[in-house]
Amino acid sequence: MNWKKIKRIVALIGALILIGLYLLVLILGITASPATKGVLMAAIGCTIVLPCLLYAMMLIAHVLSGKSEKGDDFTDKKR
């Protein structure tokens, strides 16, 4: 499988998780549930943590695979 396809799939999964969290917060906000504040804090936390975690996972997978594509290498940056 191509590295760029894997990156797109991981990015799509991350975006779907974030959209799901925001929809959950919206629904709980409309229904005035007592759990709304906690879920809102979780969604805000995931907005920051999830993209960082996904980037770190992709970086580690790329380094461990040992493969580098032209123009898509995290480890060999030209200065």
Side-chain angles (χ1 to χ4, degrees):
M1 204 168 188
N2 192 355
W3 177 246
K4 289 185 180 188
K5 279 187 178 182
I6 293 172
K7 284 175 39 176
R8 286 182 184 172
I9 291 170
V10 171
L12 180 64
I13 290 170
L16 290 175
I17 290 172
L18 287 174
I19 290 170
L21 280 170
Y22 295 139
L23 286 175
L24 180 64
V25 169
L26 178 67
I27 291 170
L28 287 174
I30 291 172
T31 60
S33 171
T36 302
K37 184 177 180 182
V39 176
L40 177 63
M41 290 298 148
I44 291 171
C46 287
T47 301
I48 297 167
V49 172
L50 187 65
C52 295
L53 181 64
L54 290 174
Y55 177 75
M57 288 172 49
M58 289 190 318
L59 181 63
I60 290 170
H62 184 70
V63 169
L64 291 178
S65 70
K67 298 178 183 177
S68 65
E69 297 177 11
K70 187 175 183 179
D72 189 34
D73 192 2
F74 292 115
T75 58
D76 294 332
K77 294 193 180 213
K78 294 181 181 177
R79 295 178 187 203

